Amino acid sequence: MTVEHWIAIGIAIALSMALVFALHWLLNHKLGKIWPMARYVVSRSAVTAYTAAAVVGANLALPSVGDVGWSTYQTIQHAMQILMIGTLTALGISLAYAATDMVLQRLSASNGDADRRARRLQTQVRLLRRVITSIIVVLAIAAILFTFDAVKALGAGLLASAGIIGIVAGVAAQSTLGNLFAGLQLAFSDALRIGDVVVVEGEWGRVEELSLVNVTIKIWDERRLVVPVANFTTTSFENWTKSGTNITAKVQLPLDWEVPIAELREETGRLITSSDHWDGRSWSCQVVDISESGEVMVRVVATAADTGAQWNIACEIREHLITWLTTHYPESLPRKRTEFVGGEEDSSYASRFPTSAFRRNVAASALAHDDAGDARSGDPEEV
């Protein structure tokens, strides 16, 4: 290739990238005011658009077969085919992501705990986007492979044995396919959504990400629990926001039998009804059980609008009642009682076992003590 060829390629690449720059400027400053998706397109295609433009410009300015040797021309042509497939595929995926980003942004604006429909649609859009992207990437890789003559020669044989290959691939990728179908089942059965509050493996958290392989749970202490997506279709889990965000807070107090139930219930009602975390639906304060160790189990229940309010009102009830009972009714706090019984049982024991070794030792000790006392207080004339 001569210097003129390289100059022509450089000019073509520069013009293509300048065209992309002008298009991005129009989308940002002009069309962005009337077309909401413009800024998402610019953001997503900031790299892929320029790369694809450079490859297209270079491909248009390639020298003809007469300007270079045949082998060189074939090598350049093959490389450009691979680059064209790769860059255009990346550009297409970025534009598809831009379109779905706008949808997800609108859904996240109303993505509170109460908006279950928005969270369900958000989960489905994210999952479908990943599925479609995976399919496009696989097809692009297949297209790149079929640009090689050796792979083309095997094409007929591969198609003829597609059934056997499909069976082998299915067995080899059983877990991957299982996760894929499990993710689709979760998304479209509305069993799990992004933003749901769940309890998995004893951990309380919120669904942060749902992919084709894993579900990422953001735990309350900002740790991340990564669980295979198939686990959610094979094992049970708690979903606190499946049908709504309303939830009930429960506080259980082990107290002594002397606790004044009426006064405790009155104080509990005053606290709950004045709390900002109570949603106004219902509350109760009841003795629900007697523990094996003898404490009276008092359970306080209060409804809340969501999990955050539920946690806050439970802590508020617990802290207030502990302080109130300690100050006004300290005898209500849990106590352990031990009863000592004497006299009557001792005489019963003596009548049943008059010659026991214990009683003989006690009697001998008492007799020796009496003799010693008599010796100390004896008649002075005998001394």
Side-chain angles (χ1 to χ4, degrees):
M1 292 176 62
T2 63
V3 177
E4 289 79 5
H5 291 150
W6 288 111
I7 293 175
I9 292 174
I11 293 173
I13 292 175
L15 290 176
S16 301
M17 297 182 73
L19 182 61
V20 172
F21 177 80
L23 183 59
H24 278 186
W25 186 87
L26 287 174
L27 289 173
N28 268 330
H29 297 86
K30 300 298 180 181
L31 295 178
K33 298 178 181 179
I34 59 176
W35 189 34
M37 202 178 85
R39 61 188 183 93
Y40 297 103
V41 172
V42 174
S43 176
R44 281 289 185 179
S45 63
V47 176
T48 58
Y50 285 105
T51 306
V55 172
V56 171
N59 193 38
L60 293 175
L62 281 179
S64 60
V65 66
D67 297 330
V68 295
W70 175 250
S71 60
T72 304
Y73 178 79
Q74 281 188 320
T75 303
I76 295 175
Q77 191 72 16
H78 189 203
M80 293 306 299
Q81 286 180 356
I82 295 175
L83 288 175
M84 286 283 289
I85 294 172
T87 55
L88 291 178
T89 300
L91 178 60
I93 292 174
S94 64
L95 293 178
Y97 266 62
T100 53
D101 281 344
M102 183 180 68
V103 177
L104 293 174
Q105 182 65 27
R106 291 181 177 177
L107 292 175
S108 63
S110 58
N111 195 21
D113 285 347
D115 197 345
R116 297 187 298 113
R117 180 176 177 274
R119 291 189 289 113
R120 176 172 58 85
L121 291 176
Q122 187 181 20
T123 304
Q124 293 173 355
V125 169
R126 287 182 182 275
L127 193 60
L128 281 178
R129 184 169 69 176
R130 291 189 176 96
V131 172
I132 293 173
T133 301
S134 301
I135 294 174
I136 292 175
V137 169
V138 170
L139 293 177
I141 293 174
I144 291 174
L145 291 176
F146 271 92
T147 61
F148 295 90
D149 294 334
V151 177
K152 284 183 180 179
L154 293 174
L158 291 175
L159 291 176
S161 57
I164 299 176
I165 293 176
I167 294 174
V168 174
V171 173
Q174 184 176 2
S175 60
T176 303
L177 293 175
N179 283 332
L180 172 62
F181 289 116
L184 292 174
Q185 179 181 348
L186 284 177
F188 288 93
S189 64
D190 203 23
L192 192 67
R193 299 173 296 263
I194 292 176
D196 273 347
V197 177
V198 296
V199 178
V200 181
E201 299 181 3
E203 297 285 357
W204 182 95
R206 192 179 292 271
V207 178
E208 185 177 50
E209 183 180 1
L210 198 161
S211 67
L212 300 178
V213 181
N214 299 315
V215 176
T216 302
I217 309 296
K218 182 180 180 181
I219 305 176
W220 64 272
D221 57 1
E222 298 188 359
R223 289 179 295 149
R224 300 300 192 275
L225 179 65
V226 181
V227 185
V229 69
N231 285 18
F232 288 88
T233 59
T234 57
T235 58
S236 58
F237 63 95
E238 296 182 27
N239 190 338
W240 290 13
T241 53
K242 174 69 171 62
S243 301
T245 61
N246 294 335
I247 195 167
T248 301
K250 180 184 72 172
V251 175
Q252 197 152 303
L253 302 172
L255 300 174
D256 191 77
W257 286 65
E258 295 187 12
V259 58
I261 302 298
E263 288 81 353
L264 178 63
R265 183 177 292 114
E266 182 181 355
E267 180 66 18
T268 302
R270 187 192 64 78
L271 168 66
I272 294 176
T273 53
S274 62
S275 174
D276 295 333
H277 305 296
W278 184 53
D279 64 355
R281 287 188 294 140
S282 63
W283 69 272
S284 67
C285 176
Q286 298 172 314
V287 177
V288 295
D289 199 3
I290 306 297
S291 68
E292 294 182 359
S293 56
E295 290 92 356
V296 175
M297 304 305 295
V298 177
R299 186 177 67 183
V300 178
V301 172
T303 57
D306 51 42
T307 55
Q310 179 244 12
W311 173 263
N312 289 329
I313 196 171
C315 294
E316 187 177 0
I317 292 171
R318 194 177 295 112
E319 294 170 359
H320 180 82
L321 291 184
I322 289 174
T323 304
W324 183 78
L325 287 171
T326 304
T327 303
H328 297 88
Y329 299 97
E331 68 277 5
S332 300
L333 301 180
R335 287 184 288 175
K336 301 294 183 182
R337 290 180 172 85
T338 303
E339 184 176 1
F340 296 94
V341 180
E344 187 176 329
E345 287 194 4
D346 184 65
S347 61
S348 175
Y349 178 85
S351 62
R352 293 177 59 189
F353 305 101
T355 60
S356 66
F358 174 76
R359 296 192 62 80
R360 288 199 303 272
N361 292 336
V362 172
S365 299
L367 181 61
H369 180 73
D370 291 342
D371 292 341
D374 292 341
R376 286 193 299 270
S377 58
D379 193 346
E381 296 179 358
E382 297 179 358
V383 175

